[in-house]
Amino acid sequence: MREHGGNLDVAQQRFGGTAEDWIDLSTGINRVSYPDVGVDQRQWSALPSRSEIESLHDAARRAYATSAPIVAMGGAQAAIQLLPHLAPRGRARILAPTYNEYAGVLSAAGWDLAEVSELAALAGADVAVVVNPNNPDGRRHDRDDLLALLPRVGRLVIDESFADAVPGISLAAEAGRAGLVILRSFGKFYGLAGLRLGFAVGSEADIAALAAMTGPWPVSGAAIAIGRRALLDHDWARATTARLADDCVRLDAAAQSRGWMLVGGTPLFRLYETGDALAAQETLARGLIWSRVFQQKPGWLRLGLPGNEAEWSRLLAVLSR
C-alpha cells in the first residue's frame, strides 16, 4: 500500500482515542464541508438517468469555466486508475515529487516510468503528468509553460485536484485540445471526499474512451444531486476561498512560532520543514491531531487547516508547548 494521509486507524493504534476524538489534518480535505447535502429518496433507489448525469456535467463545466467534453467519475483517483489504458504502453514521465498514485498505477500497468524534477524534462514522453498546484509542496506552473509543453508530449495530464481555490491557474478552458487531459477532484474543496466524485476534462476522443471504461453509471444518484448543487453555489465557493486564504496565514504564523519553515502549500494544506517530522507528528498526535509525514523527506510535515475555533484552539495549544 502506498502512503497517504487520512490513515486515522494508524493514529488510533499508536496513540489511542476514537476517530471522533481526533482532528485529522493529514489530508488536504476541507474540514468545513459543503452543508446542503440532503437528497431525495429517489436518488438512493433509482439508477441515475442520462439526463441527470449530463446535468452534473453541465454544472461542472460552469464551475470549471470550460466548454470541453467532461466525464464524472468516482473521484480523481478513478481517472488515475484508467490513465494507463488511454494509449498503448510507452514512456511515462511524472513531475516529482508529487502524489504517489501516478507512479504506482503507471508502473503496475507496464509503462516505462521515470520521475523528473523539471518541466522541460517531460518532453518526449508518451504520457506526461503534472499536478498543478502540486501535492505536497504547492508548486505552481504557468499556464503558458504548460501549453508550450503540449505539442512536445503524446498526452499531457494536468491534475488540478487542488485548483478550486486558485482557479486562475486552471487549464480546463483549454481541455478540448488533442492530448490535454485535466483531472478535477470534487471532494477536497467541498469537504465531501466520502462522496467519491471527480471529473476528467479533455478532447472528445479521450473523454469518450474514459466514459466507455467507466460504464453507464459512473457515479451515484446522491453524488449527482449534491455535486450539481455544490458546483453551482458560487457564493459558497467564493466565501470558502476567502476563508481558506485567511486560515493559511494564521497557520503559517503558528508554525513559524514553533520554528518550522514553510516549504509551500495550497489553500487546503501547508507543508513545513520541521527538522524532525516524526517528532513533530508525535507531538501533535499526543494532542490527538494527526498530520502527514514523508519517508523520503524526513523533515517535511504537511498540515491541513482546522475547521472551527475549537480545532484551532487545540492545534495552537499543542504548537505552543
Side-chain angles (χ1 to χ4, degrees):
M1 294 292 291
R2 291 177 281 276
E3 288 187 327
H4 298 290
N7 52 343
L8 267 184
D9 51 347
V10 173
Q12 292 172 250
Q13 290 168 8
R14 291 176 57 190
F15 300 99
T18 67
E20 291 73 23
D21 296 326
W22 283 83
I23 301 173
D24 187 4
L25 302 184
S26 68
T27 74
I29 299 167
N30 185 357
R31 288 187 64 79
V32 184
S33 58
Y34 185 74
D36 189 4
V37 295
V39 296
D40 295 335
Q41 176 60 31
R42 182 184 174 280
Q43 304 299 334
W44 298 111
S45 59
L47 288 171
S49 69
R50 174 49 51 187
S51 62
E52 288 171 331
I53 295 172
E54 286 305 319
S55 72
L56 174 63
H57 290 164
D58 289 341
R61 287 191 190 94
R62 291 178 61 180
Y64 303 145
T66 183
S67 59
I70 192 168
V71 60
M73 297 184 173
Q77 183 64 43
I80 294 171
Q81 298 294 139
L82 296 179
L83 280 179
H85 310 293
L86 267 182
R89 284 179 296 189
R91 292 169 297 175
R93 301 294 180 262
I94 301 170
L95 192 64
T98 194
Y99 183 54
N100 58 28
E101 285 293 325
Y102 284 101
V105 167
L106 286 162
S107 179
W111 284 68
D112 173 12
L113 178 71
E115 295 185 336
V116 301
S117 59
E118 298 296 332
L119 204 61
L122 295 170
D126 297 297
V127 167
V129 177
V130 179
V131 180
N132 190 42
N134 191 42
N135 175 17
D137 59 11
R139 184 180 179 186
R140 301 183 189 184
H141 301 280
D142 183 79
R143 290 163 44 90
D144 291 340
D145 291 340
L146 292 171
L147 288 175
L149 180 64
L150 183 58
R152 305 174 67 193
V153 300
R155 185 171 278 100
L156 178 60
V157 179
I158 309 293
D159 185 330
E160 296 183 350
S161 290
F162 290 99
D164 292 74
V166 283
I169 72 171
S170 176
L171 279 178
E174 307 291 337
R177 300 188 186 201
L180 180 60
V181 179
I182 307 295
L183 305 186
R184 299 292 297 238
S185 167
F186 172 85
K188 294 179 176 63
F189 180 71
Y190 291 93
L192 297 171
L195 199 64
R196 305 311 306 140
L197 178 60
F199 300 91
V201 194
S203 67
E204 287 189 13
D206 280 345
I207 297 307
L210 289 170
M213 286 187 274
T214 60
W217 304 290
V219 294
S220 69
I224 292 170
I226 297 168
R228 181 177 57 208
R229 189 180 307 134
L231 288 164
L232 295 176
D233 193 340
H234 305 304
D235 290 341
W236 186 90
R238 282 190 291 267
T240 296
T241 297
R243 176 185 58 80
L244 291 171
D246 291 342
D247 285 352
C248 285
V249 174
R250 187 178 185 183
L251 184 56
D252 289 347
Q256 184 178 17
S257 69
R258 179 83 185 184
W260 299 347
M261 182 177 65
L262 178 67
V263 176
T266 74
L268 285 169
F269 63 81
R270 314 304 282 166
L271 181 69
Y272 302 107
E273 172 57 55
T274 66
D276 186 341
L278 286 176
Q281 184 184 54
E282 181 169 346
T283 296
L284 290 165
R286 296 202 179 281
L288 299 185
I289 298 170
W290 196 227
S291 55
R292 173 83 158 89
V293 296
F294 302 86
Q295 285 189 351
Q296 302 303 316
K297 295 286 187 178
W300 280 11
L301 181 112
R302 193 186 69 189
L303 277 179
L305 304 173
N308 55 46
E309 282 303 315
E311 293 185 356
W312 274 106
S313 295
R314 274 177 58 181
L315 176 62
L316 295 175
V318 171
L319 291 178
S320 65
R321 292 174 187 169

